[in-house]
Amino acid sequence: PGLAPLAQATYPVPGTTNLFAISSRYAVVQNAPAQALVFDADADDVAGFVLQRDIPSAVDPLDSSSLETVANREIDALIQLSGSPLVRDRLERSSRIFVNADRPLRVLRTLSSSQLLTFGTPTTAFAVRNRLLGVLSGKDPSMLGLVPQGPATATQDTQQVVNFSFRFGSGKLFIGVVASPAMKLRENLAALNDFSNGSHLADESASLATRCEKRTTPALKTDFLFVIDNTISMVEEQQALQDAAQGLFDAFQRAGLDFRLGVVTTDSDVLRGNGFVTTLNDFRAAARVGLDGNTTELGIEFGLRALRRARMSMTPNLTLRDSMSTGLVVIFMSDEDNKSIRPGMFGSYIADYRMEGAVAFSIVGPKPTGCIRVGRGEAQPGDQYIDLANGTGGSSGSICNPNLTEVIEEVVIGALGASSRSALERRPISGSLSARTTMALMRNRSNGFDYEPAANSILFFGMAAPTVGGPYDAAYQFFNYID
């Protein structure tokens, strides 16, 4: 009672009966040549679209790896984006696969990827969106007709954050794009995430419904295990983690998280230093793992062994806390891929980590080609680490990102979701979410609330967070299916 979700409208994606939900703050037009819906929030410098294409003939949509293959191919071509100004650089910020099982007869997988594009001269989110609309629809820009150009006052920036989403459904490939100037990332982060997490795109036979829930705030407890590559090539990356550690602890405090952190290496399952620790200095000391490790890097194997060793320990600082009340997050950091001792059976690792109740995150070289960055060295693609993260509900970030604090913040958000144990009853269209404690809350990660899709949970931050056990209301709209 008293809560009103953001007004939403649903539009059919041209050429399909699939619906896309968009808040009333956006102006929406159909672009028939591109078979796309194009949307803009001029005042916020947010520009995007969702389109559908035929699935490439060589792609089997039932193959679980096909979605990733298609997405990587499309995203990797961005460095050669046609038009002006030229793309000077592309950096992956994060990638994640979201699974929506709300429709009983079909599980939908959405691959989401966030990229930072650097241009030779300043440009706008609207101009970048329009260039991508032509490229991803396969249409010459001259064939697209009139497309929104954005206001004359649109923010000019040499760096643009672009979030992508890819999904197979209804015999089609759906591609979503949403862009924002990098200088406005913080205020536009919710919109970027909403339009790329898959929640705004319905499968067939959907209608729009509204729900209000009365809930209580859970205690947030998480044990973290960092698995850090300790070979000679990791000198820049290990220093980057030391530099980002303060930001990690600050994020924990804003979120009110009860946390402990442990560290092992890619060649040992023994917790370093004082075991699971809670202070910045203790963590930094444990994370100085050195550079003389075994070059046969078995990070996933030793991470699993470390979890099992901790389950058996009777020493308080060496054991994991109660799994019924405490989330478990494993973070892999390496510039090379994992060496598996289970050839042809990698799926069993995903099953084992799930059995432990662990959500994995990887800070590694992105697929498909890895990365190279001045001051961050060179990283091979961490395929197995990324696959483990995707398989357990976590995410991946580039180890070449010069702002590692940004990557770690996404890990923290995922960790909060893993520990919340308070999933909403239905899966919301995330842009429609409203939350209220004693007052209506803003959607932000400083002093408000946000949404974690993998855990389907609302998270609170700063002074806006209700006390543990305290009540709050959540209201949202969702897609309801008749089957």
Side-chain angles (χ1 to χ4, degrees):
L3 281 175
L6 299 175
Q8 294 273 338
T10 53
Y11 300 83
V13 180
T16 74
T17 57
N18 297 70
L19 301 177
F20 194 73
I22 305 178
S23 168
S24 58
R25 64 188 278 225
Y26 294 91
V28 184
V29 297
Q30 286 198 357
N31 188 281
Q35 293 195 299
L37 287 174
V38 180
F39 55 88
D40 299 286
D42 289 359
D44 300 320
D45 285 292
V46 174
F49 64 81
V50 59
L51 61 79
Q52 66 87 12
R53 285 185 357 205
D54 291 335
I55 297 173
S57 58
V59 170
D60 178 6
L62 299 180
D63 182 343
S64 60
S65 65
S66 292
L67 185 63
E68 196 170 9
T69 299
V70 170
N72 286 336
R73 182 178 62 203
E74 300 286 356
I75 292 170
D76 209 38
L78 293 179
I79 197 68
Q80 299 174 350
L81 183 65
S82 60
S84 178
L86 294 176
V87 179
R88 298 295 188 191
D89 191 23
R90 176 182 69 84
L91 175 69
E92 179 179 285
R93 297 178 62 250
S94 63
S95 66
R96 196 167 193 178
I97 289 179
F98 298 106
V99 178
N100 183 348
D102 277 4
R103 187 171 185 183
L105 301 181
R106 184 178 299 173
V107 174
L108 301 173
R109 298 171 74 248
T110 300
L111 187 147
S112 174
S113 178
S114 182
Q115 304 283 325
L116 178 67
L117 301 184
T118 301
F119 294 86
T121 56
T123 186
T124 71
F126 306 93
V128 171
R129 184 273 312 281
N130 293 343
R131 291 167 67 182
L132 290 169
L133 178 63
V135 170
L136 292 171
S137 67
K139 305 295 183 182
D140 187 279
S142 63
M143 298 175 59
L144 295 178
L146 294 177
V147 292
Q149 299 298 309
T153 56
T155 300
Q156 299 268 343
D157 195 350
T158 56
Q159 291 190 315
Q160 299 286 332
V161 176
V162 184
N163 278 22
F164 296 83
S165 63
F166 298 84
R167 179 194 290 178
F168 294 131
S170 309
K172 299 290 184 179
L173 168 64
F174 291 88
I175 302 175
V177 165
V178 60
S180 165
M183 67 176 65
K184 299 188 74 172
L185 173 61
R186 181 61 60 180
E187 54 260 55
N188 289 336
L189 187 59
L192 289 169
N193 291 338
D194 286 339
F195 286 123
S196 57
N197 65 25
S199 68
H200 283 241
L201 176 64
D203 199 20
E204 294 177 303
S205 304
S207 60
L208 200 63
T210 302
R211 185 171 188 83
C212 185
E213 299 182 21
K214 288 187 172 293
R215 310 187 66 83
T216 55
T217 309
L220 297 177
K221 297 169 58 179
T222 303
D223 285 342
F224 292 83
L225 178 68
F226 280 75
V227 183
I228 302 175
D229 184 345
N230 59 335
T231 58
I232 188 65
S233 61
M234 284 286 292
V235 58
E236 297 98 343
E237 292 83 355
Q238 288 187 23
Q239 183 57 50
L241 179 59
Q242 292 287 321
D243 296 341
Q246 180 67 63
L248 173 67
F249 274 68
D250 290 345
F252 287 154
Q253 292 167 358
R254 285 198 305 273
L257 182 65
D258 176 356
F259 66 93
R260 302 187 312 163
L261 301 94
V263 177
V264 297
T265 62
T266 51
D267 66 355
S268 172
D269 60 355
V270 177
L271 285 168
R272 293 176 52 81
N274 296 321
F276 287 104
V277 299
T278 59
T279 70
L280 178 60
N281 288 339
D282 280 346
F283 173 67
R284 279 179 165 159
R288 295 188 183 98
V289 297
L291 303 168
D292 58 352
N294 194 316
T295 55
T296 302
E297 298 162 32
L298 303 173
I300 292 176
E301 175 66 27
F302 281 114
L304 182 61
R305 292 183 187 181
L307 294 181
R308 290 173 171 171
R309 175 191 284 264
R311 291 264 185 234
M312 299 297 294
S313 177
M314 301 299 291
T315 305
N317 64 316
L318 299 179
T319 190
L320 295 172
R321 290 182 289 183
D322 174 30
S323 60
M324 296 299 293
S325 62
T326 308
L328 178 58
V329 169
V330 184
I331 303 168
F332 298 93
M333 187 172 180
S334 178
D335 62 355
E336 295 187 29
D337 197 13
N338 177 70
K339 308 296 192 302
S340 179
I341 62 172
R342 302 182 186 180
M345 299 177 60
F346 181 75
S348 65
Y349 274 123
I350 296 176
D352 284 342
Y353 273 82
R354 285 177 173 171
M355 186 71 69
E356 294 294 334
V359 178
F361 292 81
S362 62
I363 304 174
V364 296
K367 292 183 178 183
T369 57
C371 57
I372 185 168
R373 185 75 42 179
V374 174
R376 285 290 186 271
E378 183 176 357
Q380 300 174 5
D383 291 2
Q384 292 192 8
Y385 291 120
I386 294 171
D387 289 345
L388 181 64
N390 288 336
T392 58
S395 66
S396 302
S398 173
I399 198 170
C400 293
N401 192 329
N403 183 6
L404 198 60
T405 301
E406 178 184 81
V407 179
I408 287 177
E409 180 173 329
E410 293 308 309
V411 172
V412 172
I413 298 301
L416 293 173
S419 61
S420 70
R421 312 300 170 95
S422 183
L424 296 168
E425 294 178 12
R426 300 298 296 264
R427 187 166 297 276
I429 298 167
S430 59
S432 73
L433 273 165
S434 297
R436 178 190 293 274
T437 51
T438 56
M439 59 182 179
L441 302 180
M442 299 296 292
R443 177 91 179 270
N444 65 66
R445 296 180 181 179
S446 298
N447 191 35
F449 79 97
D450 204 357
Y451 172 68
E452 210 300 296
N456 195 31
S457 297
I458 287 179
L459 308 175
F460 295 97
F461 300 88
M463 297 298 292
T467 57
V468 173
Y472 70 92
D473 295 335
Y476 55 89
Q477 292 173 288
F478 64 97
F479 287 119
N480 197 31
Y481 295 102
I482 61 175
D483 58 5

